[in-house]
Amino acid sequence: MGLLESITHPRDLSRLSERQMEELAQEIRDFLIANVSQTGGHLGPNLGVVELTLAIHRIFDSPRDSIVFDTGHQSYVHKLVTGRQNFSTLRQQGGLSGYPERAESEHDIVQSSHASSSLSWADGIARAHQLRGENDRYVVAVIGDGALTGGMTWEAINNIAADKDRKVVIVVNDNGRSYAPTVGGVADYLASLRPAIDHVRTHKKYEASMYWGKKRLQDGNAAGRFVYKSLHAAKKGVKDWWAPQGLFDDLGMKYVGPVDGHDEKAMEAALQLAKNYCGPVIVHAFTEKGRGYAPARADEDDQFHAVGVINPETGRAVTAASGKSWTSVFGEEITKIAQERDDIVAITGAMLLPMGLAGFAAKYPERVIDVGIAEQHAVTMAAGMAFGGLHPVVAIYATFLNRAFDQLLMDVALHQAGVTIVLDRAGVTGPDGPSHHGMWDLSMLQIVPGLHLAAPRDAERLREELREAVAIADAPSVVRYSKGQVGPEIVALERLYDGVDVLARSAHDMPGAGADPQTDVLIVSVGAMSELSLDVANRIGAQGISSTVVDPRWVLPVPRSIVQLASQHRIVIVVEDGVRAGGVGSRIRQELRAAGIDTALNEVGLPVEFLAHGTRGEVLERVGLTAQRVAQDVVEQVLGTKVPFARPLPGQPAPRTGQMPIL
């Protein structure tokens, strides 16, 4: 049995020798490469935090001491040492989550995988400990992978630093060096002394002495204050020469490091100093993403930040993707548009490659701006650029629009700014779970005055609607699309006067229909739900129920023809992959009522729930968003056995719940 198999609780680490800890670290890397290559997941980040995570669990006592991971995608090692070593179903339905998950373990705290929130969590937990008199408990926040670019982290640090007794240890996992390490004999000598200096600086007597000296000199005469300023400047200069601390030192918090994050013993020593200080401390650790795995280190893009199923020996994908992805279609088209219009600029938040902007950036580097994990700044900056005469295109994942809603509402929409927001991975995304499903946007965007919202059904419509979006100069426009591969092109039978596409029509052949021209069902298909909607039409057609299937293309403002068509049908079914509450169906229902049309409408979409991970198909099936289930409901609604009831045919009585009309 290997060492890893013997670890069922973090306390088991305390019995291992230094040599055994090194062996365990290697076992964990081998385990991660072997298992994540079979399921897909965040491989690079976890290979980079092996020693760091082990050291945290050796020094602190989880779960009594709270360990919070920012974004959480680097928590695989934490899962392994807290007794979760069955990775065979990682990120699969019913298996381990790819992020911390409270239902899995008492050691997990923050389930949200949105970045830059860990320090606010840490501040809140530490304040709770203080108020409850639990002064022997610590909070450790592991933050890195760009999360320090988020403004929320600095709001939290400002509050944490204000209380010198707050037992918060912030571990900065620095895996993207902004400067190279100094080399040479003198540098090596200074590095060998740094732990001793950190030991002095984090000692309570040192802090008390510094405070006493500062108070005596500052409370004295002008000469004393001059001496204090001179000594303080000299001290700061020596510290910056010794170990550049930059912004950290100005925050008013103790700083330990930089530390080699792959030297487990050194990490333990640094964390022990931080723990002994009994106040807020930043431990700055340098790590390498993809550490110990050559294919990851050779990947210049992101060191295998996230991978699908790969060959563990080569790091290459086991199966090549077939067809184009939504992301690549957007990337190609926005680059073409940029060639034609020099006012087009792209803005993204640490998502240059995942959003397909590499080609644009290569061709026009000065017109692509990556603001880091700072979606709020990105959207307001876009409003400013629009005021300056440009047309910004803000490209982010749909789930991250939540963070910038206020800026979209008050900075873009209120000022009628010509800003286009492109949302990738809209709807159900699958294996990444609740935090990454892009299922909230359709509901949120309904309440933004003047906003135009497009939901393309296929690649051609994405190209088309993107061009229409950037042509809007006096209001925000949004284009949203799904994750993964684009389906086949769905050619419309007809395009109506306001841009609505009619995808299918079927003749009315219900028994007893006579000369009544009214069609039974109007199916309004939103974006990628067109294939499912057409399948529903075929299924109900086999039961003698006629239908019209339309794709609005632009769901906001609600096209006038949708309202008119609704009056000509017995019931309207709106199929969308956002939450039903306040979604597209809800908005169309309001427009029908405003127009005096009483046609029944059923919103078919996602429940207002946090949906557990699984494939897109598994999640949709779990919530009943399948052609079979939708078609069954429609048949019952047309027959009058399920609410909402379809409008009765001429001569029929209005149905009542549980009563079958005579057809």
Side-chain angles (χ1 to χ4, degrees):
M1 185 173 74
L3 288 169
L4 178 57
E5 294 170 283
S6 70
I7 305 299
T8 59
H9 190 281
R11 294 193 189 99
D12 294 335
L13 297 173
S14 62
R15 60 179 169 76
L16 301 184
S17 66
E18 182 179 341
R19 181 179 178 83
Q20 287 176 314
M21 289 299 294
E22 292 175 358
E23 293 175 3
L24 177 61
Q26 186 57 53
E27 279 189 33
I28 289 174
R29 283 199 170 87
D30 293 342
F31 178 96
L32 291 175
I33 294 167
N35 283 270
V36 178
S37 65
Q38 301 302 309
T39 62
H42 289 93
L43 183 55
N46 286 284
L47 292 174
V49 297
V50 176
E51 291 84 3
L52 183 153
T53 306
L54 293 176
I56 289 172
H57 278 296
R58 290 255 287 188
I59 298 300
F60 296 95
D61 181 21
S62 179
R64 180 161 182 76
D65 294 331
S66 301
I67 301 173
V68 177
F69 291 90
D70 204 287
T71 69
H73 61 237
Q74 76 283 46
S75 62
Y76 293 5
V77 184
H78 166 78
K79 287 177 183 276
L80 289 174
V81 299
T82 53
R84 289 166 282 175
Q85 296 178 11
N86 180 9
F87 271 48
S88 62
T89 56
L90 176 70
R91 301 171 74 244
Q92 297 174 24
Q93 183 163 263
L96 280 182
S97 168
Y99 299 92
E101 170 60 59
R102 288 184 180 181
E104 289 179 6
S105 173
E106 63 180 343
H107 299 276
D108 289 4
I109 297 172
V110 180
Q111 299 179 201
S112 169
S113 55
H114 284 192
S116 306
S117 65
S118 62
L119 302 191
S120 295
W121 271 95
D123 188 27
I125 295 169
R127 286 178 188 270
H129 290 168
Q130 282 183 322
L131 291 171
R132 292 172 61 86
E134 298 170 338
N135 296 317
D136 60 336
R137 300 181 69 179
Y138 290 80
V139 185
V140 182
V142 181
I143 185 168
D145 256 357
L148 280 171
T149 61
M152 192 174 171
T153 59
W154 303 103
E155 296 173 28
I157 286 175
N158 182 56
N159 280 272
I160 293 170
D163 186 346
K164 301 303 179 186
D165 295 323
R166 194 82 50 77
K167 291 183 177 178
V168 176
V169 177
I170 300 171
V171 180
V172 177
N173 172 29
D174 190 348
N175 59 18
R177 290 189 171 190
S178 57
Y179 57 88
T182 309
V183 296
V186 174
D188 291 342
Y189 176 67
L190 294 179
S192 69
L193 295 179
R194 188 172 294 125
I197 301 300
D198 284 338
H199 182 78
V200 172
R201 291 178 56 247
T202 55
H203 200 285
K204 282 293 183 183
K205 289 185 178 179
Y206 166 81
E207 193 66 20
S209 299
M210 293 299 295
Y211 177 77
W212 179 85
K214 172 183 176 180
K215 185 170 178 60
R216 288 294 299 271
L217 290 172
Q218 285 193 323
D219 290 348
N221 55 25
R225 289 190 290 273
F226 175 77
V227 170
Y228 169 75
K229 288 182 179 179
S230 301
L231 290 174
H232 181 72
K235 169 179 171 255
K236 182 171 175 56
V238 169
K239 283 166 61 180
D240 285 344
W241 167 72
W242 187 278
Q245 297 168 69
L247 184 60
F248 295 123
D249 191 45
D250 296 328
L251 297 172
M253 296 176 65
K254 281 298 173 188
Y255 170 92
V256 174
V259 185
D260 181 353
H262 301 298
D263 185 332
E264 198 274 333
K265 186 177 180 181
M267 278 302 307
E268 279 194 44
L271 292 168
Q272 189 65 59
L273 288 176
K275 183 177 182 179
N276 293 343
Y277 180 64
C278 296
V281 181
I282 289 176
V283 177
H284 187 185
F286 279 140
T287 63
E288 290 180 346
K289 217 169 183 177
R291 173 82 170 193
Y293 186 39
R297 296 301 300 155
D299 179 32
E300 294 182 4
D301 289 340
D302 62 5
Q303 278 73 55
F304 280 20
H305 177 82
V307 298
V309 178
I310 60 173
N311 182 319
E313 299 297 325
T314 64
R316 294 176 181 168
V318 171
T319 57
S322 58
K324 278 187 173 291
S325 68
W326 288 97
T327 304
S328 65
V329 173
F330 161 69
E332 291 171 2
E333 196 61 26
I334 193 63
T335 304
K336 291 178 183 177
I337 295 171
Q339 289 173 339
E340 301 163 13
R341 290 179 49 178
D342 60 10
D343 65 328
I344 296 292
V345 293
I347 304 169
T348 190
M351 291 284 170
L352 184 73
L353 294 174
M355 284 301 307
L357 291 172
F360 190 160
K363 202 157 192 173
Y364 305 107
E366 72 285 355
R367 290 162 58 190
V368 176
I369 304 159
D370 188 343
V371 299
I373 300 175
E375 294 86 359
Q376 293 169 295
H377 168 64
V379 173
T380 299
M381 182 181 77
M385 296 181 85
F387 177 77
L390 300 174
H391 191 103
V393 177
V394 181
I396 55 177
Y397 285 3
T399 182
F400 298 137
L401 176 65
N402 306 3
R403 302 160 67 101
F405 177 77
D406 181 65
Q407 288 68 31
L408 173 60
L409 182 67
M410 291 298 171
D411 294 320
V412 177
L414 178 63
H415 296 87
Q416 297 179 319
V419 172
T420 296
I421 296 178
V422 173
L423 302 179
D424 199 327
R425 290 156 171 77
V428 171
T429 56
D432 283 327
S435 288
H436 273 59
H437 292 313
M439 56 190 279
W440 318 105
D441 60 311
L442 290 173
S443 293
M444 285 194 310
L445 295 172
Q446 299 293 329
I447 65 172
V448 179
L451 183 138
H452 299 253
L453 173 57
R457 67 179 180 269
D458 56 27
E460 284 307 308
R461 257 40 65 181
L462 172 54
R463 296 186 181 98
E464 184 178 73
E465 290 162 39
L466 179 61
R467 287 182 173 273
E468 293 172 6
V470 297
I472 299 171
D474 59 354
S477 57
V478 177
V479 180
R480 52 105 68 183
Y481 50 82
S482 300
K483 177 182 179 181
Q485 305 304 303
V486 187
E489 182 178 358
I490 299 174
V491 179
L493 300 178
E494 177 188 359
R495 176 158 295 178
L496 303 181
Y497 65 90
D498 55 357
V500 172
D501 280 348
V502 178
L503 304 184
R505 290 192 185 95
S506 63
H508 194 298
D509 55 3
M510 288 289 289
D516 177 35
Q518 190 174 66
T519 307
D520 292 314
V521 183
L522 173 65
I523 301 175
V524 180
S525 171
V526 177
M529 306 309 290
S530 55
E531 288 187 73
L532 183 147
S533 298
L534 290 169
D535 192 355
V536 169
N538 288 332
R539 288 171 182 266
I540 64 175
Q543 303 301 315
I545 297 173
S546 61
S547 65
T548 305
V549 181
V550 296
D551 171 14
R553 296 176 61 256
W554 288 87
V555 297
L556 281 178
V558 174
R560 187 65 190 164
S561 65
I562 296 289
V563 177
Q564 294 168 338
L565 284 168
S567 69
Q568 302 163 16
H569 290 73
R570 299 175 60 202
I571 189 170
V572 179
I573 310 296
V574 180
V575 185
E576 56 191 302
D577 59 351
V579 292
R580 291 189 294 267
V584 176
S586 177
R587 183 59 173 268
I588 293 176
R589 180 198 294 274
Q590 293 171 29
E591 296 293 329
L592 296 184
R593 299 300 172 262
I597 297 169
D598 65 352
T599 306
L601 184 147
N602 188 35
E603 304 100 330
V604 177
L606 303 174
V608 183
E609 298 173 7
F610 292 111
L611 303 177
H613 60 278
T615 66
R616 176 179 166 86
E618 287 170 339
V619 174
L620 293 178
E621 183 174 6
R622 208 162 60 213
V623 300
L625 200 48
T626 64
Q628 182 179 13
R629 176 65 180 275
V630 175
Q632 180 181 339
D633 288 345
V634 172
V635 169
E636 293 179 10
Q637 288 155 2
V638 169
L639 294 178
T641 61
K642 185 171 185 177
V643 175
F645 300 131
R647 182 184 295 115
L649 291 170
Q652 286 184 344
R656 295 194 300 270
T657 303
Q659 182 182 38
M660 178 80 73
I662 300 173
L663 299 179

